[in-house]
Amino acid sequence: MLSSYAADAQETEEINQMIEQVDIGQDDQDLTKSIGFDRSVKMDINSISREEMIKLPFLNIKQVVSFFEYKKTYGNFLSMFELQAIPLWNADIIRKLMKIYTVNTHSSGDKMVLEQRESGFQQVVVRIGRSESSSGSIDQFQRSLKETIIYRNAKYNNLYAGYAAEKDIGEKNIFDFNSFFIQKERFSVFKKIIVGDYLVSMGQGLVHWNGYAFGKNSHVLSILRQAQNIKPHTGTEENRFFRGSAIEVEKGKRSLTLFVSRKKIDANLMVDSVSGKKWASSLLFSGLHRNEHELADKHSLVLISSGMILKQNFKTGHISLNSITHCTDIPIQKRNLPYNIYGLNGNRWFNLSSDFIFSGKNGTVFGELGIDRKKSNGVIMGYLKSLNRFTDIGIQCRSISRSYNSFSSNIIGHQFNANNEKGFYVGINIKIDSRSNIEMFVDNYKHSFPVYTSDGPQRGVMSSLTFTYKPSKKVELYARLTEKRSNQNENIEDFKTHHLSMNTTHQTRLHGGFHINEAVELRIRNEIFCKRAEYNKNLFGWLNYIEFILHPVLQPYSISYRSSYYNTDGYESAIYSMERDLPHYYSMNSFFGRGISNYILLQYAVNQKISFSGKWMSEKKFYDSKRPTSDFYIALSTSWRMQLTLKF
């Protein structure tokens, strides 16, 4: 139990580091809405499928191919240490796999193994939380409890089921949102059957992508999207999923996925007072229903979706044909503004695409070509190459027409939705020696038609350099320099229209992690933000924090404490930072203004079946005399959340 607990925590830290590199503002998906299984029994490495291995973010295509070629030649693995013999694999990959996989050394008739496969396990998660503020900035409805109940049932005969209920702060009852699914794998000719709520991922996200996906960052593998075609919706996200049924049939190297869905989503409806005609001016994805206006928008639009994925697998990759259709009962008609001219309009959309991934001696190539109902097109192409044992490069280019549209795209680019963008990304990862490595990338993009932040063609460049140094197993240091340049709208005195000016943002982060001993870890960070504009004033900000993590060896508890100090010139110079949080709960905080933020996190495993975690947070903000929020110009806000996890 303790080793599994440590593995989950370490895996969460790696995810946190990846999220912190993502360009903030690129995607508005809520990370706190995702939850998965806590597997109390590690899975057998010999039973892993190619699809399951491809979705692991730390493996590339060539390494996956090398794994299955080795297994085909020498048979099943007898020990996890045998993985060292696989070409192109290294110790870091093996360590990560050992957290979630093992080699089953029990005979097929072993009573314990048979009982586990027959009974499986069940999991219940109960989470509650609340926020308070002395400044009155938090409305009365926000002081109510946030409640979540999640049930999971995983059978080892490939049957899975789950249910979730959630009440956000300000909503009236725990059943404001309900979600369920039943999944059966490897049943007759079906590879997978899902009834209920599920997610669908296609290609590189050009026509459709459900679920959270990391954006561009300095790790070159991040430019290649890899995921299961269909999987259950195991979170509490209230809009970005399908509700209906999906099947995946596989015969030989060919597979066919079909799905159909009908669900209601939140939208802002408008009504013509003369004709009575209705239309949706915007789609709402927050999932919040806290007052009369938000309740009026709840489930106001019916969305019917259907599609298919036809995939042909080869020894070194695959090629797929994807199609998806969306229909709504009320047409969408966005506000009459320049950047909405080519936006989604009407009540029916259709997208067709073909994607591929192939890996060989000269590297890995991947891409997707898509068209929409109006025959507008978009293209994404990429290339990954290991020049040697120490150097990897990645190149991605995208060319998406200004009139191309997809109802639910999610690509790796400057903006997550596939529309009105041309861009070129190049990244390189260099392992200097066993102690240090460099990751860097440059992304050049252009929007030929006006976008939300620019009333004319927008050009921009984003670049990042990260240097990591690990002098020992107890010390990890890294420095990250990021620069962003783009032309954006600026307001100038005596001008009634926006002026396009070039803005430059520099961000510098210095981070150190120190394992004082086997039980205590110390983390220190200093981050500086600077934004220079042509006409408006320059913005500046800084953030410092110190964090202590106590996780005694062979003890069922861990305690984390962080104190953050920040001072920025406002929201436009906000600095973002991930925080340790409850299991399955991700917390990305934005710090702006001047203040002090603290939190303490406790995690305790009562036994193998019961675990508890709780987090308490406080933030003290200081204001000048021009913004008096109290007699002392100080505003204090606090919040807490607790979670109980039961496994049986």
Side-chain angles (χ1 to χ4, degrees):
M1 176 193 69
L2 296 174
S3 62
S4 175
Y5 177 84
D8 289 341
Q10 196 167 4
E11 184 179 2
T12 300
E13 296 303 327
E14 292 171 358
I15 294 175
N16 288 352
Q17 291 181 18
M18 292 184 69
I19 295 172
E20 282 193 314
Q21 289 195 61
V22 176
D23 188 15
I24 301 302
Q26 172 181 282
D27 197 346
D28 59 353
Q29 296 185 53
D30 187 356
L31 287 174
T32 68
K33 301 286 188 179
S34 65
I35 185 170
F37 286 113
D38 275 341
R39 293 195 179 276
S40 55
V41 179
K42 290 185 179 181
M43 303 300 292
D44 185 4
I45 191 70
N46 289 309
S47 65
I48 189 172
S49 67
R50 185 181 297 265
E51 181 186 54
E52 292 171 331
M53 181 165 280
I54 283 178
K55 73 177 182 178
L56 297 174
F58 50 83
L59 288 174
N60 59 41
I61 299 298
K62 293 183 68 175
Q63 290 167 337
V64 173
V65 171
S66 184
F67 173 89
F68 286 99
E69 286 183 347
Y70 182 93
K71 184 181 176 183
K72 182 179 180 180
T73 303
Y74 298 102
N76 284 345
F77 294 91
L78 302 179
S79 168
M80 291 296 287
F81 296 106
E82 189 181 348
L83 298 175
Q84 300 175 84
I86 302 177
L88 305 178
W89 281 46
N90 55 47
D92 185 52
I93 291 174
I94 297 170
R95 280 196 297 268
K96 291 177 180 178
L97 276 176
M98 289 178 71
K99 300 172 188 175
I100 49 180
Y101 290 96
T102 187
V103 172
N104 181 14
T105 57
H106 301 283
S107 63
S108 59
D110 188 284
K111 182 179 179 181
M112 181 187 71
V113 175
L114 290 175
E115 288 177 351
Q116 288 176 344
R117 290 178 177 173
E118 182 65 27
S119 61
F121 72 92
Q122 301 178 75
Q123 174 182 330
V124 175
V125 176
V126 180
R127 183 190 303 141
I128 59 174
R130 175 177 287 173
S131 299
E132 299 283 350
S133 176
S134 64
S135 67
S137 59
I138 297 180
D139 297 334
Q140 180 64 38
F141 67 80
Q142 289 182 287
R143 296 192 178 98
S144 63
L145 285 174
K146 177 174 182 176
E147 302 169 344
T148 305
I149 298 176
I150 297 176
Y151 169 76
R152 297 286 179 265
N153 187 324
K155 292 285 187 179
Y156 283 89
N157 58 0
N158 302 317
L159 181 65
Y160 305 88
Y163 170 78
E166 184 194 46
K167 171 184 125 23
D168 285 308
I169 290 176
E171 295 172 343
K172 294 184 178 180
N173 62 72
I174 186 63
F175 302 108
D176 178 83
F177 171 72
N178 296 273
S179 175
F180 78 96
F181 72 87
I182 299 175
Q183 173 182 289
K184 176 69 174 178
E185 293 183 345
R186 293 185 284 277
F187 173 69
S188 183
V189 297
F190 300 100
K191 182 179 180 181
K192 188 181 295 185
I193 302 175
I194 303 176
V195 176
D197 298 343
Y198 60 93
L199 308 176
V200 177
S201 299
M202 295 179 172
Q204 299 301 306
L206 189 60
V207 300
H208 178 79
W209 191 280
N210 274 147
Y212 186 80
F214 296 113
K216 63 186 176 187
N217 58 67
S218 58
H219 198 300
V220 295
L221 286 179
S222 67
I223 63 175
L224 173 60
R225 286 278 170 86
Q226 302 176 93
Q228 301 178 67
N229 291 338
I230 56 173
K231 59 182 179 181
H233 175 46
T234 59
T236 54
E237 163 63 50
E238 299 188 21
N239 289 283
R240 295 184 178 94
F241 67 92
F242 289 143
R243 176 165 288 174
S245 60
I247 63 171
E248 185 174 358
V249 182
E250 186 176 51
K251 185 175 182 180
K253 295 184 177 181
R254 187 172 299 169
S255 66
L256 175 64
T257 301
L258 301 172
F259 61 92
V260 62
S261 164
R262 185 187 187 277
K263 67 185 294 290
K264 294 181 178 180
I265 61 175
D266 298 351
N268 184 21
L269 297 188
M270 307 294 289
V271 181
D272 189 301
S273 58
V274 178
S275 64
K277 180 182 177 182
K278 293 183 179 181
W279 70 90
S281 61
S282 61
L283 304 179
L284 308 176
F285 296 107
S286 69
L288 299 175
H289 313 114
R290 303 164 297 186
N291 50 45
E292 292 183 0
H293 296 292
E294 291 178 349
L295 284 171
D297 296 332
K298 180 180 179 180
H299 296 170
S300 57
L301 193 67
V302 176
L303 175 66
I304 300 175
S305 306
S306 61
M308 68 147 211
I309 304 172
L310 179 61
K311 177 183 289 188
Q312 176 68 50
N313 292 304
F314 301 93
K315 184 178 180 180
T316 58
H318 76 264
I319 185 170
S320 299
L321 179 66
N322 315 297
S323 70
I324 188 167
T325 301
H326 298 282
C327 298
T328 57
D329 61 333
I330 299 174
I332 295 176
Q333 182 180 331
K334 295 189 176 183
R335 292 183 299 167
N336 187 22
L337 293 171
Y339 61 86
N340 282 333
I341 290 178
Y342 292 103
L344 286 173
N345 283 288
N347 60 358
R348 185 174 182 272
W349 301 270
F350 172 77
N351 291 88
L352 179 69
S353 80
S354 178
D355 75 275
F356 65 90
I357 301 176
F358 286 103
S359 180
K361 295 181 179 180
N362 296 321
T364 299
V365 293
F366 61 92
E368 184 173 13
L369 168 65
I371 60 173
D372 63 11
R373 185 185 178 190
K374 298 180 180 179
K375 298 182 181 179
S376 300
N377 61 74
V379 180
I380 295 176
M381 300 289 289
Y383 175 72
L384 295 168
K385 172 67 174 177
S386 294
L387 300 180
N388 51 50
R389 293 179 58 189
F390 308 103
T391 308
D392 298 322
I393 62 170
I395 299 172
Q396 185 239 46
C397 59
R398 51 198 183 273
S399 178
I400 304 169
S401 167
R402 63 185 181 182
S403 57
Y404 176 85
N405 273 296
S406 176
F407 191 85
S408 49
S409 58
N410 188 338
I411 65 169
I412 295 173
H414 177 245
Q415 52 185 16
F416 73 92
N417 58 306
N419 168 257
N420 182 31
E421 183 172 337
K422 290 179 172 59
F424 184 80
Y425 168 104
V426 58
I428 182 169
N429 295 167
I430 303 173
K431 187 175 183 180
I432 300 174
D433 52 37
S434 60
R435 298 181 178 180
S436 55
N437 64 77
I438 292 176
E439 296 181 351
M440 50 187 164
F441 79 88
V442 176
D443 186 66
N444 191 308
Y445 60 89
K446 175 186 176 183
H447 306 306
S448 58
F449 198 76
V451 292
Y452 178 69
T453 58
S454 175
D455 287 347
Q458 184 181 57
R459 299 175 183 269
V461 178
M462 178 180 179
S463 58
S464 177
L465 170 65
T466 304
F467 174 73
T468 304
Y469 179 60
K470 299 180 181 179
S472 67
K473 292 183 178 180
K474 295 185 177 181
V475 178
E476 179 179 1
L477 308 171
Y478 78 82
R480 177 173 299 136
L481 307 176
T482 304
E483 181 185 77
K484 303 176 186 177
R485 291 173 54 85
S486 65
N487 56 332
Q488 296 179 347
N489 292 335
E490 275 198 69
N491 293 320
I492 306 175
E493 293 182 2
D494 301 327
F495 281 82
K496 295 183 178 180
T497 59
H498 289 135
H499 181 82
L500 283 177
S501 65
M502 185 61 67
N503 294 324
T504 303
T505 299
H506 292 95
Q507 206 156 344
T508 304
R509 175 185 298 173
L510 301 175
H511 181 96
F514 309 91
H515 292 266
I516 308 301
N517 52 45
E518 292 183 346
V520 180
E521 183 179 353
L522 170 66
R523 296 178 183 176
I524 301 174
R525 176 176 296 181
N526 188 348
E527 189 157 355
I528 299 174
F529 176 98
C530 180
K531 181 177 181 180
R532 293 180 298 174
E534 277 189 61
Y535 298 97
N536 291 342
K537 68 175 184 178
N538 297 335
L539 300 176
F540 181 81
W542 57 264
L543 165 73
N544 295 324
Y545 76 64
I546 183 169
E547 181 174 22
F548 295 94
I549 303 173
L550 175 66
H551 43 78
V553 179
L554 300 180
Q555 295 298 320
Y557 67 88
S558 73
I559 302 174
S560 303
Y561 171 77
R562 179 189 291 186
S563 184
S564 303
Y565 305 84
Y566 59 93
N567 190 350
T568 78
D569 289 333
Y571 184 76
E572 291 186 4
S573 56
I575 298 177
Y576 295 81
S577 176
M578 289 292 298
E579 294 183 352
R580 289 169 60 86
D581 219 298
L582 312 181
H584 318 295
Y585 196 101
Y586 295 93
S587 179
M588 171 74 84
N589 280 358
S590 62
F591 297 95
F592 58 93
R594 184 167 66 95
I596 302 173
S597 176
N598 299 279
Y599 79 77
I600 184 167
L601 171 68
L602 170 66
Q603 301 185 69
Y604 182 77
V606 179
N607 52 43
Q608 294 187 12
K609 297 183 178 181
I610 303 174
S611 61
F612 168 83
S613 56
K615 184 177 181 181
W616 180 84
M617 299 143 287
S618 70
E619 185 175 24
K620 184 184 292 185
K621 279 200 170 185
F622 303 92
Y623 297 90
D624 55 33
S625 58
K626 296 179 182 179
R627 298 179 60 194
T629 59
S630 68
D631 293 338
F632 302 99
Y633 310 115
I634 296 175
L636 177 65
S637 59
T638 61
S639 60
W640 58 267
R641 46 183 168 265
M642 296 186 298
Q643 179 171 298
L644 177 67
T645 302
L646 306 175
K647 302 176 187 177
F648 49 92

